[in-house]
Amino acid sequence: MGEFFHVIDGRLEGSGARFDVINPARGVPFAQCPDASREQLDRAVEAARRAFPSWRERSFADRRAYLLKLGQALEAAIEELAPLLTSEQGKPLDRARDELKRAAAQFDDLSRIDIKPDLLRDDAQGRVELRYRPLGVAGAITPWNVPIVLAAPKITQALYVGDTIVVKPSPYTPLTTLKLGELARHILPPGVLNVVAGGNELGQWMTEHPGIDKISFTGSVATGKRVLASAAATLKRVTLELGGNDAAIVLDDVDPAQVAPRLFQAAFVNSGQVCMAIKRLYVHERIYDAMCDELVALARQARVGDGFDPGVALGPVQNKMQYDRVLGILEDTRRSGARILTGGRALPGPGYFIEPTIVADIAEGTRLVDEEPFGPVLPVIRYTDVDDAIRRANDTRFGLGGSVWTNDLARGEALAARLEAGTVWVNHHVGTEPTVPFGGCKESGLGREYAELGLKGYMEAQVVKVPRAPR
């Protein structure tokens, strides 16, 4: 796979320390990654601070032109980078290509959004505007499930509004992000985008660093709480997009055979390793057994394996810690008395593979329902009364997404609006759009990414009052 380097002030740098990157389909190291020192982080932040004054003075159109070139460079490198992404993340090769293509498009899509002053008052007393200024240096900490498609919007939002940025990818999947940094160093002015790789210690250094003005973090609730506590010492602006335990509620007027494929895809996409995937499926008792049968058939048809093998639909769980956690939840599920209709076990051989699993006759009070498994496991929960299903869906500390599935769109809209989540859908689940804000409520996050609201999260609001000139 060759050498990998940090990108600091437009230059490639190695580190004295390195760590192994594991191929989750085989469970063994396939590459080594440089492990950034504190001194290297300090220099990355210093480079970003030096680059900030001239970068913020550029126009939105000028900064957009740079981002378009970066998106085009990523698009041109898809065939080179997709095998690397599959090797470190595990997803099927075609899914890796899709992720890189989506990430490349975000550099264009997010930099098309206008950020204009808000006119608050214009009268005899004078004019009052709410303007938005770049914050300074942003720090982005990205996760391992979709590393590039979650790094690209953070980079784009920060750079488009006039911030500079330091990016830290997950130590489980750092390599493709480092390669993105290498592409950027030939396009962006030095210091505008810096990419440094390392473990949890590097993330803490970033959240504590007085030279970083904002942290955008995507990851688990537990880590997000530590990020927020650490950032409080310097009152950094913080955006947190954290875990979800999304509920989907299926009403009794749908045809299970028609709806099940979409529900299955929304639950098992990326082997269930998506924050907004369906994690709890509430199904009306009238169609419960038929829905379970349909989902079981789909789970048994889904081919699991190495992402490089043709026809594979689901790859491995990305890392050993998460693999062990999912297997532990499945063991608790067996002890609970729930019925595992299909799957429920690790696949033989190397790698972190778990059978696609459908669980029936389960309810709240079990780990599988109350926690976010983040793996290829779906509990199907029976309900009788839809008001009770809404109550049960909302009885959680999570609040990222939720959905209602019905042939009555007006009823579906009314019920979806009662779900306590940052995004709710009718007859759909999973997905983001550049012009639609995304984020969670409760413990699923703070702030929003994407759209004008997300861009303004990388800026500081400023009130400007100008009196009316005397006549």
Side-chain angles (χ1 to χ4, degrees), residues 82-83 85-87 89-99 268-271 273 303-316:
L85 182 55
T86 291
S87 295
Q89 203 283 328
K91 64 188 59 181
L93 187 58
D94 60 343
R95 291 286 184 176
R97 291 191 184 100
D98 288 345
E99 177 174 341
F268 287 88
V269 59
N270 204 28
S271 297
Q273 299 168 118
R303 185 177 173 193
V304 180
D306 190 313
F308 289 103
D309 292 343
V312 165
L314 302 177

PDB file of all heavy atoms in Angstrom, residues 82-83 85-87 89-99 268-271 273 303-316:
ATOM      1  N   ALA A  82     -10.471   3.641  -3.825  1.00  0.00           N
ATOM      2  CA  ALA A  82     -11.519   2.721  -3.377  1.00  0.00           C
ATOM      3  C   ALA A  82     -10.955   1.426  -2.786  1.00  0.00           C
ATOM      4  O   ALA A  82     -11.429   0.969  -1.731  1.00  0.00           O
ATOM      5  CB  ALA A  82     -12.485   2.426  -4.527  1.00  0.00           C
ATOM      6  N   PRO A  83      -9.944   0.784  -3.396  1.00  0.00           N
ATOM      7  CA  PRO A  83      -9.396  -0.422  -2.763  1.00  0.00           C
ATOM      8  C   PRO A  83      -8.782  -0.152  -1.389  1.00  0.00           C
ATOM      9  O   PRO A  83      -8.863  -1.005  -0.491  1.00  0.00           O
ATOM     10  CB  PRO A  83      -8.324  -0.888  -3.765  1.00  0.00           C
ATOM     11  CG  PRO A  83      -8.752  -0.304  -5.074  1.00  0.00           C
ATOM     12  CD  PRO A  83      -9.353   1.023  -4.733  1.00  0.00           C
ATOM     13  N   LEU A  85      -9.844   2.172   0.718  1.00  0.00           N
ATOM     14  CA  LEU A  85     -10.968   2.350   1.637  1.00  0.00           C
ATOM     15  C   LEU A  85     -11.586   1.012   2.014  1.00  0.00           C
ATOM     16  O   LEU A  85     -11.912   0.764   3.184  1.00  0.00           O
ATOM     17  CB  LEU A  85     -12.005   3.283   1.008  1.00  0.00           C
ATOM     18  CG  LEU A  85     -13.235   3.624   1.840  1.00  0.00           C
ATOM     19  CD1 LEU A  85     -12.853   4.199   3.190  1.00  0.00           C
ATOM     20  CD2 LEU A  85     -14.143   4.585   1.079  1.00  0.00           C
ATOM     21  N   THR A  86     -11.730   0.109   1.048  1.00  0.00           N
ATOM     22  CA  THR A  86     -12.253  -1.225   1.351  1.00  0.00           C
ATOM     23  C   THR A  86     -11.312  -1.982   2.278  1.00  0.00           C
ATOM     24  O   THR A  86     -11.752  -2.666   3.205  1.00  0.00           O
ATOM     25  CB  THR A  86     -12.484  -2.011   0.049  1.00  0.00           C
ATOM     26  OG1 THR A  86     -13.582  -1.426  -0.655  1.00  0.00           O
ATOM     27  CG2 THR A  86     -12.796  -3.478   0.323  1.00  0.00           C
ATOM     28  N   SER A  87     -10.019  -1.851   2.054  1.00  0.00           N
ATOM     29  CA  SER A  87      -9.044  -2.569   2.883  1.00  0.00           C
ATOM     30  C   SER A  87      -9.096  -2.124   4.335  1.00  0.00           C
ATOM     31  O   SER A  87      -8.967  -2.948   5.241  1.00  0.00           O
ATOM     32  CB  SER A  87      -7.626  -2.358   2.335  1.00  0.00           C
ATOM     33  OG  SER A  87      -7.482  -2.928   1.055  1.00  0.00           O
ATOM     34  N   GLN A  89     -11.690  -0.180   5.830  1.00  0.00           N
ATOM     35  CA  GLN A  89     -13.018  -0.098   6.437  1.00  0.00           C
ATOM     36  C   GLN A  89     -13.775  -1.409   6.320  1.00  0.00           C
ATOM     37  O   GLN A  89     -14.556  -1.738   7.208  1.00  0.00           O
ATOM     38  CB  GLN A  89     -13.820   1.034   5.784  1.00  0.00           C
ATOM     39  CG  GLN A  89     -14.957   1.579   6.654  1.00  0.00           C
ATOM     40  CD  GLN A  89     -16.173   0.675   6.693  1.00  0.00           C
ATOM     41  OE1 GLN A  89     -16.489  -0.021   5.727  1.00  0.00           O
ATOM     42  NE2 GLN A  89     -16.875   0.671   7.818  1.00  0.00           N
ATOM     43  N   GLY A  90     -13.596  -2.142   5.237  1.00  0.00           N
ATOM     44  CA  GLY A  90     -14.236  -3.435   5.071  1.00  0.00           C
ATOM     45  C   GLY A  90     -15.409  -3.462   4.123  1.00  0.00           C
ATOM     46  O   GLY A  90     -15.828  -4.529   3.676  1.00  0.00           O
ATOM     47  N   LYS A  91     -15.982  -2.308   3.797  1.00  0.00           N
ATOM     48  CA  LYS A  91     -17.184  -2.287   2.965  1.00  0.00           C
ATOM     49  C   LYS A  91     -16.896  -2.808   1.565  1.00  0.00           C
ATOM     50  O   LYS A  91     -15.751  -2.744   1.086  1.00  0.00           O
ATOM     51  CB  LYS A  91     -17.756  -0.875   2.892  1.00  0.00           C
ATOM     52  CG  LYS A  91     -16.867   0.148   2.234  1.00  0.00           C
ATOM     53  CD  LYS A  91     -17.442   1.567   2.386  1.00  0.00           C
ATOM     54  CE  LYS A  91     -17.610   1.924   3.829  1.00  0.00           C
ATOM     55  NZ  LYS A  91     -18.172   3.259   4.029  1.00  0.00           N
ATOM     56  N   PRO A  92     -17.920  -3.334   0.874  1.00  0.00           N
ATOM     57  CA  PRO A  92     -17.718  -3.815  -0.499  1.00  0.00           C
ATOM     58  C   PRO A  92     -17.139  -2.729  -1.394  1.00  0.00           C
ATOM     59  O   PRO A  92     -17.393  -1.531  -1.210  1.00  0.00           O
ATOM     60  CB  PRO A  92     -19.133  -4.213  -0.940  1.00  0.00           C
ATOM     61  CG  PRO A  92     -19.840  -4.558   0.340  1.00  0.00           C
ATOM     62  CD  PRO A  92     -19.296  -3.608   1.356  1.00  0.00           C
ATOM     63  N   LEU A  93     -16.374  -3.162  -2.379  1.00  0.00           N
ATOM     64  CA  LEU A  93     -15.638  -2.223  -3.220  1.00  0.00           C
ATOM     65  C   LEU A  93     -16.565  -1.239  -3.934  1.00  0.00           C
ATOM     66  O   LEU A  93     -16.247  -0.053  -4.052  1.00  0.00           O
ATOM     67  CB  LEU A  93     -14.803  -3.003  -4.247  1.00  0.00           C
ATOM     68  CG  LEU A  93     -13.834  -2.195  -5.112  1.00  0.00           C
ATOM     69  CD1 LEU A  93     -12.829  -1.437  -4.265  1.00  0.00           C
ATOM     70  CD2 LEU A  93     -13.120  -3.131  -6.088  1.00  0.00           C
ATOM     71  N   ASP A  94     -17.725  -1.706  -4.381  1.00  0.00           N
ATOM     72  CA  ASP A  94     -18.635  -0.779  -5.049  1.00  0.00           C
ATOM     73  C   ASP A  94     -19.172   0.257  -4.079  1.00  0.00           C
ATOM     74  O   ASP A  94     -19.414   1.415  -4.445  1.00  0.00           O
ATOM     75  CB  ASP A  94     -19.777  -1.524  -5.755  1.00  0.00           C
ATOM     76  CG  ASP A  94     -20.628  -2.348  -4.811  1.00  0.00           C
ATOM     77  OD1 ASP A  94     -20.199  -2.626  -3.676  1.00  0.00           O
ATOM     78  OD2 ASP A  94     -21.760  -2.734  -5.215  1.00  0.00           O
ATOM     79  N   ARG A  95     -19.341  -0.124  -2.808  1.00  0.00           N
ATOM     80  CA  ARG A  95     -19.773   0.826  -1.785  1.00  0.00           C
ATOM     81  C   ARG A  95     -18.663   1.839  -1.487  1.00  0.00           C
ATOM     82  O   ARG A  95     -18.932   3.007  -1.202  1.00  0.00           O
ATOM     83  CB  ARG A  95     -20.164   0.093  -0.509  1.00  0.00           C
ATOM     84  CG  ARG A  95     -21.427  -0.742  -0.627  1.00  0.00           C
ATOM     85  CD  ARG A  95     -22.655   0.132  -0.658  1.00  0.00           C
ATOM     86  NE  ARG A  95     -23.884  -0.633  -0.670  1.00  0.00           N
ATOM     87  CZ  ARG A  95     -25.096  -0.099  -0.614  1.00  0.00           C
ATOM     88  NH1 ARG A  95     -25.222   1.212  -0.566  1.00  0.00           N
ATOM     89  NH2 ARG A  95     -26.167  -0.865  -0.649  1.00  0.00           N
ATOM     90  N   ALA A  96     -17.432   1.388  -1.531  1.00  0.00           N
ATOM     91  CA  ALA A  96     -16.315   2.309  -1.339  1.00  0.00           C
ATOM     92  C   ALA A  96     -16.276   3.340  -2.466  1.00  0.00           C
ATOM     93  O   ALA A  96     -16.054   4.540  -2.224  1.00  0.00           O
ATOM     94  CB  ALA A  96     -15.000   1.538  -1.263  1.00  0.00           C
ATOM     95  N   ARG A  97     -16.495   2.888  -3.675  1.00  0.00           N
ATOM     96  CA  ARG A  97     -16.549   3.825  -4.805  1.00  0.00           C
ATOM     97  C   ARG A  97     -17.688   4.830  -4.604  1.00  0.00           C
ATOM     98  O   ARG A  97     -17.526   6.031  -4.844  1.00  0.00           O
ATOM     99  CB  ARG A  97     -16.749   3.066  -6.116  1.00  0.00           C
ATOM    100  CG  ARG A  97     -15.559   2.223  -6.556  1.00  0.00           C
ATOM    101  CD  ARG A  97     -15.775   1.739  -7.986  1.00  0.00           C
ATOM    102  NE  ARG A  97     -14.704   0.842  -8.413  1.00  0.00           N
ATOM    103  CZ  ARG A  97     -14.808  -0.491  -8.432  1.00  0.00           C
ATOM    104  NH1 ARG A  97     -15.943  -1.082  -8.043  1.00  0.00           N
ATOM    105  NH2 ARG A  97     -13.798  -1.235  -8.837  1.00  0.00           N
ATOM    106  N   ASP A  98     -18.849   4.330  -4.183  1.00  0.00           N
ATOM    107  CA  ASP A  98     -19.990   5.219  -3.952  1.00  0.00           C
ATOM    108  C   ASP A  98     -19.670   6.265  -2.887  1.00  0.00           C
ATOM    109  O   ASP A  98     -20.026   7.442  -3.038  1.00  0.00           O
ATOM    110  CB  ASP A  98     -21.206   4.410  -3.511  1.00  0.00           C
ATOM    111  CG  ASP A  98     -21.814   3.578  -4.633  1.00  0.00           C
ATOM    112  OD1 ASP A  98     -21.486   3.841  -5.805  1.00  0.00           O
ATOM    113  OD2 ASP A  98     -22.601   2.661  -4.323  1.00  0.00           O
ATOM    114  N   GLU A  99     -19.009   5.833  -1.815  1.00  0.00           N
ATOM    115  CA  GLU A  99     -18.666   6.787  -0.750  1.00  0.00           C
ATOM    116  C   GLU A  99     -17.750   7.884  -1.272  1.00  0.00           C
ATOM    117  O   GLU A  99     -17.946   9.075  -0.995  1.00  0.00           O
ATOM    118  CB  GLU A  99     -18.010   6.066   0.427  1.00  0.00           C
ATOM    119  CG  GLU A  99     -17.582   7.044   1.514  1.00  0.00           C
ATOM    120  CD  GLU A  99     -17.054   6.389   2.768  1.00  0.00           C
ATOM    121  OE1 GLU A  99     -17.322   5.190   2.993  1.00  0.00           O
ATOM    122  OE2 GLU A  99     -16.365   7.091   3.540  1.00  0.00           O
ATOM    123  N   PHE A 268     -29.543  -2.458   7.493  1.00  0.00           N
ATOM    124  CA  PHE A 268     -28.310  -3.217   7.317  1.00  0.00           C
ATOM    125  C   PHE A 268     -27.289  -2.530   6.413  1.00  0.00           C
ATOM    126  O   PHE A 268     -26.230  -3.101   6.147  1.00  0.00           O
ATOM    127  CB  PHE A 268     -28.624  -4.611   6.788  1.00  0.00           C
ATOM    128  CG  PHE A 268     -29.245  -5.507   7.827  1.00  0.00           C
ATOM    129  CD1 PHE A 268     -30.618  -5.524   8.013  1.00  0.00           C
ATOM    130  CD2 PHE A 268     -28.466  -6.299   8.637  1.00  0.00           C
ATOM    131  CE1 PHE A 268     -31.201  -6.330   8.982  1.00  0.00           C
ATOM    132  CE2 PHE A 268     -29.027  -7.120   9.612  1.00  0.00           C
ATOM    133  CZ  PHE A 268     -30.404  -7.125   9.788  1.00  0.00           C
ATOM    134  N   VAL A 269     -27.568  -1.326   5.942  1.00  0.00           N
ATOM    135  CA  VAL A 269     -26.597  -0.595   5.138  1.00  0.00           C
ATOM    136  C   VAL A 269     -25.278  -0.498   5.899  1.00  0.00           C
ATOM    137  O   VAL A 269     -25.247  -0.248   7.107  1.00  0.00           O
ATOM    138  CB  VAL A 269     -27.147   0.805   4.764  1.00  0.00           C
ATOM    139  CG1 VAL A 269     -27.474   1.644   6.005  1.00  0.00           C
ATOM    140  CG2 VAL A 269     -26.172   1.547   3.863  1.00  0.00           C
ATOM    141  N   ASN A 270     -24.166  -0.740   5.194  1.00  0.00           N
ATOM    142  CA  ASN A 270     -22.839  -0.717   5.818  1.00  0.00           C
ATOM    143  C   ASN A 270     -22.762  -1.683   7.005  1.00  0.00           C
ATOM    144  O   ASN A 270     -22.130  -1.404   8.018  1.00  0.00           O
ATOM    145  CB  ASN A 270     -22.477   0.705   6.251  1.00  0.00           C
ATOM    146  CG  ASN A 270     -20.979   0.932   6.352  1.00  0.00           C
ATOM    147  OD1 ASN A 270     -20.180   0.304   5.664  1.00  0.00           O
ATOM    148  ND2 ASN A 270     -20.580   1.832   7.239  1.00  0.00           N
ATOM    149  N   SER A 271     -23.450  -2.813   6.868  1.00  0.00           N
ATOM    150  CA  SER A 271     -23.518  -3.831   7.932  1.00  0.00           C
ATOM    151  C   SER A 271     -24.048  -3.254   9.247  1.00  0.00           C
ATOM    152  O   SER A 271     -23.615  -3.641  10.335  1.00  0.00           O
ATOM    153  CB  SER A 271     -22.145  -4.487   8.146  1.00  0.00           C
ATOM    154  OG  SER A 271     -21.746  -5.173   6.976  1.00  0.00           O
ATOM    155  N   GLN A 273     -23.661  -0.320  10.359  1.00  0.00           N
ATOM    156  CA  GLN A 273     -22.722   0.631  10.971  1.00  0.00           C
ATOM    157  C   GLN A 273     -22.940   2.036  10.399  1.00  0.00           C
ATOM    158  O   GLN A 273     -22.051   2.633   9.789  1.00  0.00           O
ATOM    159  CB  GLN A 273     -21.292   0.150  10.733  1.00  0.00           C
ATOM    160  CG  GLN A 273     -21.023  -1.207  11.358  1.00  0.00           C
ATOM    161  CD  GLN A 273     -19.720  -1.818  10.884  1.00  0.00           C
ATOM    162  OE1 GLN A 273     -18.803  -2.066  11.673  1.00  0.00           O
ATOM    163  NE2 GLN A 273     -19.609  -2.088   9.601  1.00  0.00           N
ATOM    164  N   ARG A 303     -25.413 -11.680   0.886  1.00  0.00           N
ATOM    165  CA  ARG A 303     -24.112 -12.322   0.923  1.00  0.00           C
ATOM    166  C   ARG A 303     -23.141 -11.496   1.751  1.00  0.00           C
ATOM    167  O   ARG A 303     -22.959 -10.295   1.524  1.00  0.00           O
ATOM    168  CB  ARG A 303     -23.562 -12.500  -0.492  1.00  0.00           C
ATOM    169  CG  ARG A 303     -22.254 -13.271  -0.513  1.00  0.00           C
ATOM    170  CD  ARG A 303     -21.742 -13.508  -1.914  1.00  0.00           C
ATOM    171  NE  ARG A 303     -20.409 -14.104  -1.866  1.00  0.00           N
ATOM    172  CZ  ARG A 303     -19.616 -14.201  -2.910  1.00  0.00           C
ATOM    173  NH1 ARG A 303     -20.016 -13.770  -4.101  1.00  0.00           N
ATOM    174  NH2 ARG A 303     -18.415 -14.751  -2.795  1.00  0.00           N
ATOM    175  N   VAL A 304     -22.504 -12.145   2.709  1.00  0.00           N
ATOM    176  CA  VAL A 304     -21.547 -11.501   3.593  1.00  0.00           C
ATOM    177  C   VAL A 304     -20.147 -11.981   3.242  1.00  0.00           C
ATOM    178  O   VAL A 304     -19.932 -13.181   3.015  1.00  0.00           O
ATOM    179  CB  VAL A 304     -21.863 -11.843   5.072  1.00  0.00           C
ATOM    180  CG1 VAL A 304     -20.865 -11.163   6.004  1.00  0.00           C
ATOM    181  CG2 VAL A 304     -23.282 -11.449   5.421  1.00  0.00           C
ATOM    182  N   GLY A 305     -19.179 -11.069   3.194  1.00  0.00           N
ATOM    183  CA  GLY A 305     -17.826 -11.506   2.895  1.00  0.00           C
ATOM    184  C   GLY A 305     -16.863 -10.361   2.704  1.00  0.00           C
ATOM    185  O   GLY A 305     -17.177  -9.189   2.957  1.00  0.00           O
ATOM    186  N   ASP A 306     -15.667 -10.713   2.262  1.00  0.00           N
ATOM    187  CA  ASP A 306     -14.616  -9.741   1.967  1.00  0.00           C
ATOM    188  C   ASP A 306     -15.118  -8.771   0.906  1.00  0.00           C
ATOM    189  O   ASP A 306     -15.685  -9.182  -0.116  1.00  0.00           O
ATOM    190  CB  ASP A 306     -13.379 -10.495   1.466  1.00  0.00           C
ATOM    191  CG  ASP A 306     -12.147  -9.612   1.362  1.00  0.00           C
ATOM    192  OD1 ASP A 306     -12.250  -8.499   0.811  1.00  0.00           O
ATOM    193  OD2 ASP A 306     -11.069 -10.047   1.814  1.00  0.00           O
ATOM    194  N   GLY A 307     -14.906  -7.494   1.136  1.00  0.00           N
ATOM    195  CA  GLY A 307     -15.395  -6.475   0.222  1.00  0.00           C
ATOM    196  C   GLY A 307     -14.827  -6.557  -1.177  1.00  0.00           C
ATOM    197  O   GLY A 307     -15.384  -5.951  -2.110  1.00  0.00           O
ATOM    198  N   PHE A 308     -13.752  -7.296  -1.360  1.00  0.00           N
ATOM    199  CA  PHE A 308     -13.177  -7.464  -2.698  1.00  0.00           C
ATOM    200  C   PHE A 308     -13.798  -8.621  -3.474  1.00  0.00           C
ATOM    201  O   PHE A 308     -13.546  -8.762  -4.670  1.00  0.00           O
ATOM    202  CB  PHE A 308     -11.660  -7.665  -2.601  1.00  0.00           C
ATOM    203  CG  PHE A 308     -10.909  -6.430  -2.211  1.00  0.00           C
ATOM    204  CD1 PHE A 308     -10.444  -6.267  -0.921  1.00  0.00           C
ATOM    205  CD2 PHE A 308     -10.684  -5.413  -3.133  1.00  0.00           C
ATOM    206  CE1 PHE A 308      -9.753  -5.125  -0.548  1.00  0.00           C
ATOM    207  CE2 PHE A 308     -10.003  -4.265  -2.777  1.00  0.00           C
ATOM    208  CZ  PHE A 308      -9.529  -4.112  -1.481  1.00  0.00           C
ATOM    209  N   ASP A 309     -14.602  -9.452  -2.808  1.00  0.00           N
ATOM    210  CA  ASP A 309     -15.219 -10.582  -3.489  1.00  0.00           C
ATOM    211  C   ASP A 309     -16.457 -10.122  -4.261  1.00  0.00           C
ATOM    212  O   ASP A 309     -17.282  -9.367  -3.725  1.00  0.00           O
ATOM    213  CB  ASP A 309     -15.622 -11.662  -2.484  1.00  0.00           C
ATOM    214  CG  ASP A 309     -14.423 -12.338  -1.847  1.00  0.00           C
ATOM    215  OD1 ASP A 309     -13.311 -12.209  -2.403  1.00  0.00           O
ATOM    216  OD2 ASP A 309     -14.591 -12.977  -0.792  1.00  0.00           O
ATOM    217  N   PRO A 310     -16.631 -10.537  -5.497  1.00  0.00           N
ATOM    218  CA  PRO A 310     -17.803 -10.129  -6.282  1.00  0.00           C
ATOM    219  C   PRO A 310     -19.103 -10.574  -5.616  1.00  0.00           C
ATOM    220  O   PRO A 310     -19.181 -11.652  -5.028  1.00  0.00           O
ATOM    221  CB  PRO A 310     -17.604 -10.844  -7.623  1.00  0.00           C
ATOM    222  CG  PRO A 310     -16.145 -11.170  -7.689  1.00  0.00           C
ATOM    223  CD  PRO A 310     -15.725 -11.415  -6.269  1.00  0.00           C
ATOM    224  N   GLY A 311     -20.105  -9.714  -5.702  1.00  0.00           N
ATOM    225  CA  GLY A 311     -21.429 -10.065  -5.211  1.00  0.00           C
ATOM    226  C   GLY A 311     -21.645  -9.912  -3.726  1.00  0.00           C
ATOM    227  O   GLY A 311     -22.746 -10.183  -3.230  1.00  0.00           O
ATOM    228  N   VAL A 312     -20.634  -9.465  -2.994  1.00  0.00           N
ATOM    229  CA  VAL A 312     -20.794  -9.287  -1.557  1.00  0.00           C
ATOM    230  C   VAL A 312     -21.675  -8.070  -1.276  1.00  0.00           C
ATOM    231  O   VAL A 312     -21.466  -6.990  -1.833  1.00  0.00           O
ATOM    232  CB  VAL A 312     -19.416  -9.124  -0.868  1.00  0.00           C
ATOM    233  CG1 VAL A 312     -19.573  -8.574   0.544  1.00  0.00           C
ATOM    234  CG2 VAL A 312     -18.703 -10.467  -0.832  1.00  0.00           C
ATOM    235  N   ALA A 313     -22.672  -8.252  -0.416  1.00  0.00           N
ATOM    236  CA  ALA A 313     -23.571  -7.156  -0.047  1.00  0.00           C
ATOM    237  C   ALA A 313     -23.176  -6.509   1.268  1.00  0.00           C
ATOM    238  O   ALA A 313     -23.330  -5.298   1.442  1.00  0.00           O
ATOM    239  CB  ALA A 313     -25.009  -7.663   0.040  1.00  0.00           C
ATOM    240  N   LEU A 314     -22.678  -7.329   2.206  1.00  0.00           N
ATOM    241  CA  LEU A 314     -22.346  -6.829   3.543  1.00  0.00           C
ATOM    242  C   LEU A 314     -20.931  -7.248   3.903  1.00  0.00           C
ATOM    243  O   LEU A 314     -20.566  -8.423   3.780  1.00  0.00           O
ATOM    244  CB  LEU A 314     -23.325  -7.384   4.578  1.00  0.00           C
ATOM    245  CG  LEU A 314     -24.822  -7.081   4.362  1.00  0.00           C
ATOM    246  CD1 LEU A 314     -25.653  -7.765   5.424  1.00  0.00           C
ATOM    247  CD2 LEU A 314     -25.080  -5.584   4.346  1.00  0.00           C
ATOM    248  N   GLY A 315     -20.145  -6.281   4.348  1.00  0.00           N
ATOM    249  CA  GLY A 315     -18.787  -6.570   4.782  1.00  0.00           C
ATOM    250  C   GLY A 315     -18.731  -6.887   6.268  1.00  0.00           C
ATOM    251  O   GLY A 315     -19.752  -7.131   6.916  1.00  0.00           O
ATOM    252  N   PRO A 316     -17.538  -6.869   6.842  1.00  0.00           N
ATOM    253  CA  PRO A 316     -17.378  -7.192   8.253  1.00  0.00           C
ATOM    254  C   PRO A 316     -17.742  -6.022   9.157  1.00  0.00           C
ATOM    255  O   PRO A 316     -17.890  -4.887   8.714  1.00  0.00           O
ATOM    256  CB  PRO A 316     -15.876  -7.488   8.353  1.00  0.00           C
ATOM    257  CG  PRO A 316     -15.269  -6.591   7.304  1.00  0.00           C
ATOM    258  CD  PRO A 316     -16.250  -6.592   6.167  1.00  0.00           C
TER     259      PRO A 316
END
